[in-house]
């Protein structure tokens, strides 16, 4: 059996009243895997609350290594996992999330039977109370034997969830997550890797991804800036994406404007919708949103919801 290095960055888990419970659930979902040849690296990224005490409870488990470091942020903690792990494969989990018991077993089997270097899976999205709010994938991602199409798909939508990834050490050991990208560092990594390594897919939802107000990704303004940086880099790395650039950036500005409108900032939202239309005048959703933004927060959101329904028909 091949050893898997699993890392969980941990930082101030007690910032949410259920964070301690979520952290324990995440750790135990790894320890209860049906695939048993793994090491678990618990990386305390400079926590200032009771997180360290929770991690100490697992010190006696021979499969667990607790690493304490000064705060380096999310990508820095992920890099520590890459540097300290010594498995043939690497896997990643968040302190609020959970794996299904067969996650590693299913994915190791896929990597060892298919000509791919990375495998990811579907993901079940849940809210603070564990109630299902959707799935990551409604459609199957592009086939691994279509690498250019796969890169194009990653450019168009960020469908690879880091918590669902299992990757060969040979595909990632010389790479590091960009520490300047506290939210989009994983998206950046997968786009960089996809040009050289094939991605496989297991359609089952092997991960439960929790969404709540304390998620780093809930900062939509920083998410916009970082994703814009990642997409610009992608166009530089893969010149064949140039033809898709304007349409993709139009969608990016539309999404940012939509968040601004929800946040009660219609004037700034209108600027983003205009930016979206300057890049792609055929962006119907941006036209609808621009009209909606004139109506203020409440009326605008109703118009926006109506516009989405029209676009879907």
């Amino acid at each position: 059996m091949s050893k898997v290095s699993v890392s969980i960055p941990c930082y101030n888990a007690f910032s949410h009243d259920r964070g301690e419970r979520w952290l324990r659930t995440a750790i135990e979902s790894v320890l209860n895997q049906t695939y048993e040849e793994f090491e678990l690296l618990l990386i305390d990224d400079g926590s200032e609350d009771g997180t360290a005490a929770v991690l100490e409870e697992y010190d006696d488990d021979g499969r667990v290594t607790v690493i304490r470091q000064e705060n380096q942020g999310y990508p820095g903690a992920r890099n520590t996992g890459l540097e300290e792990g010594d498995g043939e494969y690497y896997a990643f989990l968040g302190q609020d999330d959970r794996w299904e018991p067969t996650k590693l077993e299913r994915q190791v089997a896929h990597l060892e039977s298919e000509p791919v270097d990375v495998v990811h899976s579907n993901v079940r999205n849940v809210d603070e109370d564990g109630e299902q709010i959707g799935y990551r994938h409604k459609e199957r991602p592009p086939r691994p034997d279509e690498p250019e199409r796969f890169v194009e798909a990653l450019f168009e939508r960020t469908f690879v969830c880091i918590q669902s990834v299992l990757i060969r050490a040979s595909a990632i050991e010389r790479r590091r997550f960009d520490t300047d990208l506290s939210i989009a560092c994983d998206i950046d990594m997968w786009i960089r890797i996809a040009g050289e390594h094939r991605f496989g897919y297991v359609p089952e939802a092997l991960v439960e991804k929790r969404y709540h107000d304390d998620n780093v990704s809930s900062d939509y303004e920083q998410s916009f800036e970082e994703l814009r940086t990642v997409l610009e880099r992608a166009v530089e790395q893969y010149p064949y994406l140039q033809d898709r650039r304007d349409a993709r950036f139009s969608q990016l500005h539309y999404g940012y404007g939509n968040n601004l409108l929800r946040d009660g900032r219609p004037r700034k939202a209108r600027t983003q919708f205009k930016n979206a239309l300057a890049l792609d005048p055929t962006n119907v959703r941006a036209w609808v949103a621009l009209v909606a933004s004139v109506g203020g927060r409440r009326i605008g959101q109703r118009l926006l919801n109506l516009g989405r329904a029209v676009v879907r028909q």
Side-chain angles (χ1 to χ4, degrees):
M1 299 177 75
S2 302
K3 185 165 71 172
V4 180
S5 293
V6 183
S7 61
I8 303 180
C10 307
Y11 178 70
N12 287 356
F14 289 78
S15 62
H16 193 285
D17 59 3
R18 283 172 282 186
E20 177 190 356
R21 188 177 72 193
W22 294 342
L23 174 57
R24 294 180 191 276
T25 297
I27 293 171
E28 289 163 14
S29 77
V30 177
L31 298 179
N32 292 329
Q33 288 292 298
T34 56
Y35 182 89
E36 299 178 348
E37 189 66 18
F38 66 83
E39 62 174 351
L40 174 57
L41 308 177
L42 300 177
I43 302 161
D44 182 2
D45 191 38
S47 296
E48 299 172 340
D49 57 6
T51 300
V54 175
L55 302 185
E56 285 174 2
E57 297 175 15
Y58 298 91
D59 263 337
D60 293 335
D61 190 315
R63 299 168 295 177
V64 176
T65 301
V66 177
I67 300 171
R68 297 176 179 85
Q69 63 183 33
E70 293 184 5
N71 182 257
Q72 298 180 27
Y74 178 75
R78 287 291 183 206
N79 288 337
T80 297
L82 294 177
E83 291 157 7
E84 298 297 330
D86 63 355
E88 294 179 46
Y89 305 124
Y90 284 83
F92 316 89
L93 187 58
Q95 67 180 24
D96 305 326
D97 309 315
R98 184 183 71 84
W99 283 349
E100 293 295 328
T102 59
K103 194 265 189 190
L104 291 181
E105 180 181 0
R106 292 281 288 112
Q107 292 189 318
V108 168
H110 191 91
L111 278 181
E112 294 185 344
S113 63
E114 300 292 333
V116 297
D117 295 318
V118 190
V119 60
H120 65 114
S121 75
N122 207 343
V123 175
R124 182 183 304 106
N125 300 327
V126 300
D127 63 15
E128 293 188 1
D129 299 315
E131 296 296 322
Q132 182 175 308
I133 56 177
Y135 287 92
R136 187 80 169 195
H137 300 281
K138 295 180 181 178
E139 303 174 351
R140 192 181 185 95
R143 292 162 49 92
D145 58 355
E146 302 174 336
E148 190 167 304
R149 175 63 191 120
F150 193 89
V151 169
E152 291 172 345
L154 270 181
F155 182 73
E156 291 167 358
R157 55 191 177 91
T158 56
F159 59 83
V160 177
C161 178
I162 187 171
Q163 289 84 355
S164 80
V165 165
L166 184 68
I167 184 169
R168 296 184 192 277
S170 58
I172 200 171
E173 61 188 356
R174 292 184 298 276
R175 302 177 188 271
R176 291 295 179 266
F177 293 99
D178 187 337
T179 55
D180 290 330
L181 301 172
S182 61
I183 296 175
C185 63
D186 54 328
I187 301 169
D188 174 66
M189 177 70 83
W190 312 141
I191 291 177
R192 284 189 281 136
I193 286 177
E196 301 176 18
H197 301 278
R198 293 186 175 185
F199 282 64
Y201 178 65
V202 175
E204 290 90 343
L206 300 177
V207 178
E208 197 169 79
K209 168 68 176 168
R210 191 182 307 277
Y211 288 87
H212 57 87
D213 290 342
D214 291 334
N215 285 136
V216 173
S217 57
S218 63
D219 185 342
Y220 66 84
E221 292 182 296
Q222 186 169 345
S223 293
F224 168 77
E225 294 296 342
E226 291 192 12
L227 188 53
R228 181 164 60 178
T229 296
V230 169
L231 295 178
E232 289 285 15
R233 289 178 181 175
V235 174
E236 292 178 8
Q237 183 176 357
Y238 308 106
Y240 57 82
L241 294 176
Q242 185 64 48
D243 291 342
R244 298 173 178 268
R245 182 193 180 282
D246 286 354
R248 179 64 179 94
F249 275 78
S250 177
Q251 292 299 331
L252 182 63
H253 283 280
Y254 160 76
Y256 183 30
N258 202 1
N259 282 321
L260 287 165
L261 191 59
R262 286 199 191 98
D263 203 21
R265 303 163 71 183
R267 183 175 298 177
K268 288 190 174 182
R270 282 194 291 276
T271 297
Q272 294 307 318
F273 297 142
K274 291 175 181 178
N275 289 340
L277 291 168
L279 288 163
D280 180 10
T282 69
N283 188 337
V284 176
R285 293 191 298 176
W287 280 112
V288 173
L290 180 60
V291 174
S293 68
V294 177
R297 182 177 184 180
R298 187 171 299 176
I299 297 174
Q301 195 58 53
R302 290 177 182 174
L303 286 171
L304 199 57
N305 292 337
L306 178 62
R308 290 198 193 104
V310 171
V311 170
R312 284 196 296 267
Q313 291 178 355

